[in-house]
Amino acid sequence: MAKKQKKQHKQSGTGGTPATVALTAAGTAYTVHAYEHDPAHPSYGEEAAQAMGVSPDRVFKTLVAEVDGELTVAVVPVAGTLDLKALAAAVSGKRAVMADPAAAERTTGYVRGGISPLGQRRKLRTVLDDSASSHATICVSAGRRGLEVELAPGDLARLTDAVLAPIGRE
């Protein structure tokens, strides 16, 4: 079962990440959830939902895509998939494709499976699936495999300057 920790200045036991540092600096309320990551699990997001005992529609994965050649972050529920056409439309683009994983890691400063929409090395335009607004809180990667952060979707949208749009598919 996941360990829960309330917002702390010294993320004892979990180590601070750029995401948690950004949340603390912004004075945003959040909860850190740490769990044992199994490298053999086929889905990072589904593993997080199971480990935390949270419904998969409240756990969101961070994907990096290219929209008309520009890296763009898409945050969608782990229970579904990203609709690339909808992502492109949300940012007034024509065509979206998944980004090269190495480019995503290099640009965000995080490793695949641990990319957080918060505290990225270079702030990218971000689109949050509008289903997030139907929940009081959602979980996203805290910047490391086995570490999630739970926060209000409005806070996530504000901190990332995210556009809310229907970009997820079931």
Side-chain angles (χ1 to χ4, degrees), residues 56-78:
D57 65 339
R58 281 191 47 232
V59 179
F60 283 64
K61 56 189 169 187
T62 306
L63 303 172
V64 181
E66 274 188 46
V67 179
D68 299 338
E70 185 179 342
L71 291 179
T72 303
V73 171
V75 185
V76 297
V78 300

Side-chain angles (χ1 to χ4, degrees), residues 58-150:
R58 281 191 47 232
V59 179
F60 283 64
K61 56 189 169 187
T62 306
L63 303 172
V64 181
E66 274 188 46
V67 179
D68 299 338
E70 185 179 342
L71 291 179
T72 303
V73 171
V75 185
V76 297
V78 300
T81 59
L82 171 62
D83 182 334
L84 289 166
K85 286 184 181 184
L87 175 64
V91 294
S92 301
K94 292 182 178 163
R95 183 172 182 270
V97 296
M98 293 307 296
D100 172 64
E105 289 180 345
R106 192 172 44 254
T107 304
T108 64
Y110 294 116
V111 298
R112 197 167 69 87
I115 294 178
S116 177
L118 299 157
Q120 295 178 357
R121 183 177 289 151
R122 189 176 110 214
K123 191 171 184 176
L124 300 174
R125 64 183 172 177
T126 301
V127 182
L128 174 60
D129 186 70
D130 63 358
S131 68
S133 60
S134 66
H135 304 288
T137 61
I138 61 171
C139 298
V140 296
S141 175
R144 190 169 73 219
R145 295 173 188 153
L147 197 64
E148 294 280 311
V149 65
E150 181 177 351

Side-chain angles (χ1 to χ4, degrees), residues 7 9 18-28 30 159:
K7 180 175 128 179
H9 290 291
T20 59
V21 168
L23 286 164
T24 300
T28 303
Y30 66 95
L159 292 171

Side-chain angles (χ1 to χ4, degrees), residues 29-47:
Y30 66 95
T31 303
V32 171
H33 299 272
Y35 60 91
E36 280 299 316
H37 166 62
D38 176 4
H41 200 287
S43 168
Y44 298 117
E46 289 174 12
E47 175 191 28

